[in-house]
Amino acid sequence: MTLQAIHWALIGIWGLLTAASLIVYILSKRSEKNLSELVQRTQSWWVMVALFTVAFLVSNTISIIVFALISFLALKEYFSMIPTRRADRRVLFWAYLSIPVQYFWVYDSYYGMFAVFIPVYMFLFLPFASLLSQQTEGFLKSVGTLNWGLMLCVFSISHAAFLLILPPTEGNSAGGAGLLLFLVFLTQFNDVAQYTWGKLFGRRKIIPGVSPNKTWEGFLGGVGTTFVLAIITAPLVTPFSLAHAAAAGLLIPVAGFIGDVTVSALKRDLGVKDTGSLIPGHGGILDRIDSLTFTAPLFFHFTRYFYY
Amino acid sequence: MLQKVFYIFVKIAVLFLLGLNVRRKDILPSEGPAIIVANHNSHLDTMVLMALMPLSKLKGIKPVAAADYFFSSPWKAWVSEHVLGIIPVQRKGTDRTSDPLEGCYQALDKGQVLILFPEGSRGEPEEMTSLKKGISYLAERAPSAPVVPVFTHGLGKALPKGSFLLVPFFCDIFVGKPITWAGDRTQFMNTLQDRFNELSSEKTFAPWE
């Protein structure tokens, strides 16, 4: 087996993770402060990167199933976190069932149905299913919250999976797999970069009413670092020209930031700190993929518009 | 054997369909004599508590349940006894000559773990009703057995009374500090109620309307 661009990219990610883990290890030995959460976070990254790598290397189908599972866990977290009506149990059940259907369209490369199934058919069907219980009290709130959750956790995330089945092009032998790696890596890297810049240099709060720990320094530092990394890595795994690589290098960190604060606003409204406790050190799965819910559909359409 | 096979499936289903957030699992006893006392919202309560136990210990863990429900037909009785390992209790005492808790005493004497739901019924999902006093008689009779309160939330949303459709929700299981018998039934019941109040206020739960 010869190593292709995609393998080099994966090796690079593992190298970066190893370097980051060493830094965290040294910091935790030297520092007086308790860094157990940071250590836990780093350990969780190893697990997540390992799972992702295995799925990625085995087959596209496995990767699509993994994304479907991520959507399921995220939607379950969302439904467990928000106020729901007992009368809507059946509606929630239908919402869950839409996950395998939506990911089947991905597997089937059926773009037309993939693009409308949730925003059109489920959008129309869920309120209908809800009114069958004949409980109108709380109807609007219920339909609104259920649809938003479905869009965020299933529709948005499924765009990441759809990248996978985009075929290789002349300028990009890595095909959809390369694009997915580019998106997921930069989105997650940007989260860490914004966090790190913010911890080191953060002074001016950017949106204290929603997320008091986010700063302008963190945001701009993260955007800058991700931008540079996008330009370096784009020729390896994407068909992007320099201008498009630069555009993607801005799109991902900015959209990622907005996704992050959107889920923060939701958590503030509900009065919870984390969306769950599935990933030690990080919180719930929605805490980890909040930025991806915004970057995945935007990056997908950016790529599709210019290259497919 | 049958029980182990059954609970392997239950463990997988609980892990995948529900997903549990367990606090202080280390103080949940899997060896007796001990009494686990939990609030009751769903048939899933027993399944989930059993699923938290190591497979090798399952034989010595006995859910205590209503005879009028779980032993109402021959096949139900067979499943209840051989697969679920249930100890039946008569809810409505028609026969005053024997102690309805006799089976429980024997199990504790044998060093088994009892799982009890002192609310007596699943009732309205996610609403706790008053605790029945039977548990204090058990504690008095077996003072060496620690009574461990367990508060669960979410199982009543996933499968409430009267429904057969399981809808996935993340569930919280909060294990509380064990209570030891101090010699007074009323005081015991008050302590138990206090423990449940503490456990249920550990987290703000999403409302269920």
Side-chain angles (χ1 to χ4, degrees):
Chain A
M1 194 184 86
T2 53
L3 288 181
Q4 289 156 359
I6 203 93
H7 299 122
W8 287 112
L10 283 172
I11 291 169
I13 291 173
W14 282 94
L16 197 63
L17 184 59
T18 310
S21 303
L22 276 176
I23 294 171
V24 169
Y25 179 74
I26 292 165
L27 277 180
S28 70
K29 284 281 161 235
R30 283 202 187 156
S31 169
E32 313 278 279
K33 280 182 280 179
N34 180 11
L35 295 178
S36 62
E37 198 193 278
L38 189 65
V39 173
Q40 226 177 20
R41 258 179 196 240
T42 317
Q43 286 165 348
S44 292
W45 275 119
W46 281 89
V47 177
M48 287 187 281
V49 172
L51 284 176
F52 191 75
T53 308
V54 169
F56 210 72
L57 292 179
V58 174
S59 77
N60 269 3
T61 310
I62 296 289
S63 302
I64 291 171
I65 292 173
V66 166
F67 274 101
L69 285 177
I70 292 173
S71 279
F72 171 65
L73 291 172
L75 190 65
K76 187 163 63 166
E77 227 168 55
Y78 177 78
F79 284 160
S80 307
M81 189 165 68
I82 63 164
T84 43
R85 299 190 305 168
R86 191 181 175 185
D88 283 331
R89 294 183 73 249
R90 218 167 269 268
V91 187
L92 300 185
F93 187 77
W94 293 124
Y96 281 121
L97 268 193
S98 74
I99 298 171
V101 180
Q102 172 71 0
Y103 281 90
F104 176 76
W105 310 133
V106 177
Y107 170 78
D108 200 37
S109 322
Y110 187 176
Y111 178 76
M113 194 47 122
F114 161 81
V116 300
F117 174 65
I118 288 174
V120 176
Y121 295 111
M122 288 308 287
F123 172 73
L124 298 176
F125 175 70
L126 284 189
F128 168 68
S130 184
L131 69 80
L132 288 180
S133 71
Q134 303 197 44
Q135 276 197 27
T136 49
E137 200 189 319
F139 175 78
L140 175 63
K141 192 172 132 200
S142 160
V143 167
T145 51
L146 300 192
N147 264 317
W148 191 65
L150 199 58
M151 288 295 282
L152 200 72
C153 303
V154 184
F155 187 63
S156 279
I157 296 299
S158 68
H159 285 76
F162 207 93
L163 280 174
L164 263 180
I165 56 157
L166 294 178
T169 53
E170 237 171 76
N172 171 35
S173 60
L179 288 164
L180 176 67
L181 200 59
F182 185 78
L183 166 73
V184 173
F185 170 61
L186 287 185
T187 302
Q188 303 300 342
F189 178 83
N190 172 60
D191 278 3
V192 178
Q194 295 203 0
Y195 173 83
T196 311
W197 282 98
K199 277 267 167 197
L200 292 177
F201 306 105
R203 299 179 67 89
R204 279 167 287 254
K205 297 203 180 307
I206 186 164
I207 184 158
V210 175
S211 201
N213 293 328
K214 297 252 183 322
T215 56
W216 276 106
E217 290 80 3
F219 172 65
L220 293 174
V223 171
T225 323
T226 309
F227 178 77
V228 171
L229 207 62
I231 290 188
I232 297 171
T233 55
L236 190 63
V237 288
T238 74
F240 297 161
S241 66
L242 185 63
H244 286 150
L250 288 176
L251 175 72
I252 291 176
V254 172
F257 173 80
I258 299 172
D260 191 339
V261 292
T262 304
V263 173
S264 295
L266 167 72
K267 289 189 288 186
R268 281 231 133 183
D269 183 15
L270 296 171
V272 298
K273 190 182 157 282
D274 290 328
T275 61
S277 54
L278 202 64
I279 314 174
H282 295 254
I285 196 147
L286 259 178
D287 291 312
R288 191 61 275 130
I289 62 162
D290 47 10
S291 34
L292 195 64
T293 59
F294 273 58
T295 58
L298 292 174
F299 178 77
F300 174 83
H301 286 293
F302 170 84
T303 309
R304 195 176 127 81
Y305 183 78
F306 287 110
Y307 291 91
Y308 285 93
Chain B
M1 180 63 204
L2 200 59
Q3 194 184 28
K4 278 188 188 170
V5 173
F6 176 71
Y7 276 104
I8 289 173
F9 284 106
V10 171
K11 274 182 188 240
I12 295 168
V14 163
L15 201 71
F16 178 69
L17 288 178
L18 297 176
L20 301 180
N21 166 30
V22 189
R23 292 192 186 165
R24 299 173 294 273
K25 188 180 173 183
D26 50 307
I27 56 174
L28 188 72
S30 60
E31 279 175 34
I35 306 169
I36 295 171
V37 177
N39 58 327
H40 205 12
N41 290 311
S42 165
H43 281 322
L44 293 172
D45 295 337
T46 317
M47 304 282 164
V48 164
L49 287 172
M50 294 288 271
L52 288 176
M53 305 291 180
L55 284 176
S56 60
K57 299 277 164 50
L58 279 180
K59 242 183 141 57
I61 296 162
K62 297 285 178 187
V64 178
D68 55 278
Y69 186 97
F70 285 93
F71 288 77
S72 59
S73 71
W75 71 270
K76 250 186 170 177
W78 189 86
V79 172
S80 298
E81 197 183 328
H82 293 94
V83 182
L84 303 172
I86 284 177
I87 296 178
V89 173
Q90 299 291 345
R91 268 198 283 208
K92 295 186 183 64
T94 43
D95 178 13
R96 278 279 158 231
T97 53
S98 66
D99 192 329
L101 295 175
E102 192 52 45
C104 300
Y105 301 147
Q106 284 173 11
L108 287 174
D109 290 342
K110 274 191 273 180
Q112 294 180 321
V113 181
L114 295 182
I115 298 179
L116 258 98
F117 302 100
E119 284 173 277
S121 158
R122 287 167 295 166
E124 282 297 304
E126 309 302 339
E127 269 175 38
M128 244 187 120
T129 50
S130 64
L131 304 172
K132 302 260 188 293
K133 287 195 297 286
I135 172 72
S136 62
Y137 288 88
L138 260 181
E140 185 178 26
R141 177 69 198 269
S144 62
V147 177
V148 181
V150 176
F151 180 79
T152 66
H153 176 268
L155 295 162
K157 288 178 165 185
L159 189 72
K161 189 176 182 175
S163 175
F164 292 97
L165 181 73
L166 193 144
V167 177
F169 280 100
F170 275 102
C171 299
D172 293 291
I173 317 282
F174 297 162
V175 185
K177 285 192 305 261
I179 305 170
T180 40
W181 177 250
D184 181 61
R185 281 207 294 273
T186 321
Q187 187 208 339
F188 175 85
M189 290 310 291
N190 289 340
T191 316
L192 187 61
Q193 187 63 58
D194 289 346
R195 284 288 155 85
F196 270 112
N197 294 345
E198 271 172 45
L199 290 172
S200 63
S201 56
E202 259 186 45
K203 182 179 168 184
T204 34
F205 300 105
W208 178 240
E209 290 138 15

